[in-house]
Amino acid sequence: RGGYESASKHFNPADVEVDVAGRSFLVTGANSGIGKATAKEIARRGGTVHLVCRNKERGEVAKEEIVTEMGNQNIFLHIVDISNPKEIWKFAEKFRNEHKLNVLINNAGCMVNNRELTEDGLEKNFATNTLGTYIMTTALLPLLEKEADARVITVSSGGMLVQKLNIFDLQSGNGPFDGTMVYAQNKRQQVVLTEQWAKAHRNIHFSVMHPGWADTPAVRSSMPDFYERMRTTLRTEAQGADTVLWLAVSAEAVKLPSGLFFQDRQPIPTHLPLASTHSPLEDEEKLMEMLEEFSQKFKTTSPG
């Protein structure tokens, strides 16, 4: 929290005091934590917000809360499990036919501490954090391409700084399983995805960010020891969401190059000094190929 407090002294409040009525935002993992805090702030500014949640009951409670508190009726709930690639494809196809989209916020994520497979036989962290983010984004790119000032923001983590991209064991099947490191690897993969997308899609602004360590349900459940040690110094959910909001609505954010990694409204390096976490470009391109192959496996084209 201290880091946020000192950084925020240099923020320009006017950057985020904008009216976004008429613009459409999709936020994954929007029923709690940083996703909900972001959705609220966008709703407060008049945006149309599509909440993508896995759990119907929790999603409905969040939607109700946002509509009531913000007095904005343009809040829509979609039930999608981001660890289920077929479900994402199906959702995106329907969404493309019914809505417009200006800003995609990939916030849904998980940190499962024991190796667990989804019904499709995918390791759960990889399925949610990497493949789910990849499919949601690529499936909605055609919609974003149609809009002026389209943006894609992915919520990563500073934990990725300890990981070098590893394309040889995407589903963490080799050796002992460490949920925290698997999560950090997925977050490194998200940084690579963002950099690659930024190169390929010049008219969309891509960014990835570290929210800082915030007091969210996800941190409480997946990192209980860390939470107990750190809880008095953690950021609030709104502080964690601040840079997401800034990247989503401010005119300042898009003056910076596409593909950067942010913390507290500033681009920061994606590698620590002297850390051997850089990977060859071939590995980064190979990651994109592998994810494309994975994603196509689960794409069932509906008749007509």
Side-chain angles (χ1 to χ4, degrees):
R1 194 184 307 153
Y4 175 82
E5 284 162 359
S6 65
S8 65
K9 292 190 180 101
H10 308 286
F11 292 171
N12 179 0
D15 284 1
V16 293
E17 289 317 317
V18 286
D19 180 353
V20 291
R23 280 175 72 76
S24 169
F25 299 77
L26 187 153
V27 185
T28 66
N31 61 286
S32 70
I34 286 165
K36 185 169 84 174
T38 303
K40 260 188 190 175
E41 291 304 323
I42 292 168
R44 185 200 299 279
R45 289 159 177 77
T48 295
V49 188
H50 295 275
L51 313 172
V52 172
C53 306
R54 188 183 54 200
N55 181 295
K56 192 169 191 288
E57 289 68 33
R58 290 203 292 256
E60 280 166 354
V61 169
K63 176 188 166 177
E64 198 50 48
E65 187 185 315
I66 295 169
V67 170
T68 309
E69 279 186 35
M70 300 304 155
N72 181 340
Q73 296 300 315
N74 294 319
I75 311 297
F76 302 92
L77 176 64
H78 310 270
I79 305 305
V80 187
D81 181 347
I82 302 290
S83 72
N84 183 325
K86 291 191 208 77
E87 234 177 80
I88 304 174
W89 275 122
K90 209 157 72 189
F91 158 75
E93 211 162 289
K94 186 172 185 296
F95 190 90
R96 283 205 307 257
N97 293 327
E98 295 173 2
H99 303 281
K100 68 169 211 162
L101 183 63
N102 299 90
V103 181
L104 167 63
I105 297 169
N106 291 309
N107 162 73
C110 70
M111 187 195 293
V112 179
N113 287 312
N114 296 305
R115 193 167 190 276
E116 197 182 301
L117 299 183
T118 67
E119 61 186 49
D120 296 306
L122 298 166
E123 189 276 315
K124 193 144 192 194
N125 294 291
F126 166 77
T128 309
N129 303 327
T130 303
L131 187 60
T133 298
Y134 178 86
I135 295 176
M136 182 64 82
T137 306
T138 46
L140 293 174
L141 281 173
L143 210 47
L144 290 157
E145 296 274 9
K146 292 178 188 169
E147 300 297 330
D149 188 15
R151 309 180 187 193
V152 175
I153 298 130
T154 300
V155 178
S156 178
S157 163
M160 68 94 196
L161 290 164
V162 303
Q163 285 284 318
K164 177 182 178 174
L165 178 67
N166 173 10
I167 55 168
F168 303 103
D169 187 21
L170 288 182
Q171 303 202 59
S172 316
N174 306 338
F177 186 90
D178 177 338
T180 311
M181 286 303 126
V182 170
Y183 177 81
Q185 172 64 215
N186 295 162
K187 295 293 164 178
R188 166 64 71 190
Q189 290 159 359
Q190 290 178 341
V191 169
V192 172
L193 289 181
T194 299
E195 292 169 347
Q196 293 294 316
W197 282 326
K199 282 187 213 168
H201 304 276
R202 300 288 185 177
N203 53 341
I204 299 174
H205 192 272
F206 291 88
S207 53
V208 61
M209 58 78 69
H210 173 40
W213 298 102
D215 188 344
T216 63
V219 168
R220 291 197 285 274
S221 65
S222 58
M223 304 172 76
D225 299 346
F226 170 82
Y227 175 72
E228 278 310 316
R229 272 202 320 277
M230 303 296 286
R231 63 182 182 179
T232 54
T233 62
L234 293 174
R235 298 175 175 213
T236 65
E237 291 172 347
Q239 290 170 341
D242 175 79
T243 296
V244 187
L245 178 72
W246 181 81
L247 288 165
V249 305
S250 83
E252 292 308 303
V254 289
K255 290 179 184 171
L256 292 157
S258 182
L260 299 179
F261 181 62
F262 287 83
Q263 183 178 347
D264 293 333
R265 302 192 189 181
Q266 288 292 324
I268 60 167
T270 54
H271 298 277
L272 294 169
L274 307 180
S276 46
T277 51
H278 293 266
S279 21
L281 186 58
E282 303 84 88
D283 283 10
E284 300 186 352
E285 288 168 352
K286 182 71 177 158
L287 173 69
M288 301 307 274
E289 276 170 39
M290 292 165 87
L291 293 175
E292 185 55 27
E293 266 169 47
F294 264 118
S295 76
Q296 290 302 326
K297 259 187 226 164
F298 296 104
K299 188 179 184 179
T300 46
T301 45
S302 54

